[in-house]
Amino acid sequence: MILEAKNISFSYGKKEVLKGVDFYLKDGDILSLLGKNGCGKTTLLKILLGICKSSGEIKLYGKDLKSYSRKDIAKLIAYIPQVHKIPFDYTVFDVVLMGRLPHIGLFSKYSQEDRDIALSSLKRVGMESFTQKIYSKISGGERQLVFIARAIAQDAKIIFMDEPINGLDYGNQIKFLKLLKDFQKEGYTFLKTTHYPDHALYASNRITMIKDGSIFKDGLLEELNEKSIERLYGVDVEIIQKNGYKFCIPTF
Ligand code: ADP
C-alpha cells in the first residue's frame, strides 16, 4: 500500500468539508476521484500531500505522513494543481528543471544531469520543441503536458493531478489519458480528480466518489455504474460498451 488514510476530517473554519473519510492508494493505481463541485476533492489531495492538516491518520509507505519533510514528500509525490500559473518569464525548460529542486541542496545549482533529465522528460511527453518557449505564453493544454514533464523530472513515481483534462482539446485529452496508461505500465501511480465518468472508465482501474463529505463509493471500476452516477450527480445515464471500452451516455 502506498498511501492509507483513516478517519480523515477537515473543516475550513466552521465549514466542515470531509467527515471521517477513509482512503487508500495502491501501487500502480490510476485512481479517479469523482464528486460534485465543492465536495472536497482538491482538499483531500492537499490533505494527502500534507498541505492541509486534518484529523485522522495518514500513512505514506507505512510511515506517518507527519514524519516526512516537505522535500521528502516531493521526492515521492508530484502534484499538478488545477491552476499552475508561473510568474515571470520562465522558459518551459526552466519550469521542468524546477522539478529537480527536491533533489538538490539548499544552495546548490542544477547539475548537467538535472538538465539532461529535464530535457528527456520534455521529450517523453513530446514537448521538446517547446523547450525555449515562454511558459506563460503557451496554451493551457501545452502547460498541462509541461507539468507532466516536470513531474517526471521530479522523479516521483506517484503523481496527483487536479482535473488534468481541463483546457485540453479533444485530441490532447485522448493522448493525455493514453499517456497515463503508458506511464502506469512503467510503474507510475496516479491519483486524479475528474468530472468525466468516460475518462475514468477509459483510463482508471479504481474510483473513489465523495458525496456530502463522505466516501460514497470506493472500489474497482465496476462501481462506476448507472446507479452510482445517478446518485452522485442526479442524472440518468446508460453505460454502453464497444471495442472493450465502456462509455457513459446521458438518457434524457
Ligand atoms: P472540489 O475540489 O471537490 O471542487 P474543494 O476541495 O476545492 O472542492 O472545496 C471544498 C469546499 O471547501 C468548497 O465548498 C469550497 O468552497 C471550500 N473551500 C475550498 N478552499 C477553501 C479555503 N481556502 N477557505 C475556505 N473554504 C474553502
Side-chain angles (χ1 to χ4, degrees):
M1 194 76 74
I2 287 182
L3 195 58
E4 200 169 8
K6 281 197 185 130
N7 204 17
I8 299 299
S9 296
F10 182 83
S11 306
Y12 290 107
K14 282 191 182 143
K15 187 180 167 57
E16 194 178 35
V17 179
L18 297 172
K19 305 173 220 170
V21 162
D22 291 343
F23 176 88
Y24 66 99
L25 190 64
K26 286 190 301 189
D27 201 11
D29 271 345
I30 299 183
L31 191 151
S32 288
L33 190 59
L34 298 114
K36 283 185 182 175
N37 290 127
C39 74
K41 299 181 293 299
T42 304
T43 303
L44 181 59
L45 294 193
K46 287 183 180 167
I47 289 169
L48 297 173
L49 287 159
I51 299 170
C52 289
K53 308 287 175 209
S54 67
S55 62
E57 186 185 73
I58 304 174
K59 287 204 165 140
L60 178 59
Y61 290 109
K63 257 175 63 186
D64 192 341
L65 188 70
K66 290 193 204 93
S67 68
Y68 289 86
S69 68
R70 261 294 150 79
K71 207 167 170 176
D72 288 338
I73 294 174
K75 282 182 189 162
L76 296 170
I77 310 176
Y79 175 42
I80 307 180
Q82 244 178 75
V83 181
H84 30 82
K85 287 211 172 83
I86 302 273
F88 315 116
D89 284 346
Y90 283 111
T91 63
V92 162
F93 184 74
D94 289 336
V95 171
V96 177
L97 197 55
M98 281 174 211
R100 298 300 301 159
L101 276 174
H103 298 277
I104 64 174
L106 192 56
F107 299 107
S108 313
K109 286 188 178 154
Y110 296 113
S111 65
Q112 187 55 44
E113 190 194 3
D114 293 322
R115 291 172 189 283
D116 292 345
I117 290 171
L119 191 59
S120 67
S121 305
L122 274 164
K123 281 187 183 150
R124 188 68 185 76
V125 299
M127 292 293 282
E128 66 268 35
S129 61
F130 281 68
T131 307
Q132 291 313 320
K133 291 204 172 161
I134 300 298
Y135 177 82
S136 58
K137 293 184 182 163
I138 63 174
S139 80
E142 289 157 354
R143 284 182 202 179
Q144 208 64 279
L145 290 171
V146 170
F147 255 69
I148 290 273
R150 174 164 142 154
I152 296 164
Q154 195 170 321
D155 205 20
K157 287 288 184 284
I158 312 167
I159 304 182
F160 284 11
M161 298 185 290
D162 206 351
E163 292 180 36
I165 295 298
N166 264 7
L168 299 195
D169 67 50
Y170 181 70
N172 275 332
Q173 289 180 14
I174 304 300
K175 278 186 213 153
F176 185 85
L177 292 171
K178 207 175 157 299
L179 197 64
L180 294 194
K181 295 216 268 191
D182 292 344
F183 278 119
Q184 182 191 33
K185 287 187 201 125
E186 290 173 26
Y188 283 84
T189 301
F190 293 95
L191 167 57
K192 65 181 180 73
T193 68
T194 182
H195 286 306
Y196 302 100
D198 270 347
H199 295 165
L201 287 166
Y202 174 69
S204 30
N205 63 305
R206 277 184 55 220
I207 56 117
T208 296
M209 291 174 158
I210 302 180
K211 188 174 195 263
D212 301 326
S214 302
I215 299 296
F216 158 67
K217 277 276 174 213
D218 175 28
L220 297 175
L221 212 51
E222 292 75 49
E223 300 286 350
L224 187 62
N225 51 37
E226 280 103 346
K227 206 167 153 196
S228 62
I229 293 170
E230 194 279 322
R231 286 190 54 205
L232 190 66
Y233 297 112
V235 289
D236 290 324
V237 297
E238 190 184 337
I239 307 270
I240 56 165
Q241 204 160 349
K242 193 166 166 69
N243 299 340
Y245 291 106
K246 287 181 174 174
F247 304 89
C248 175
I249 52 166
T251 52
F252 296 106

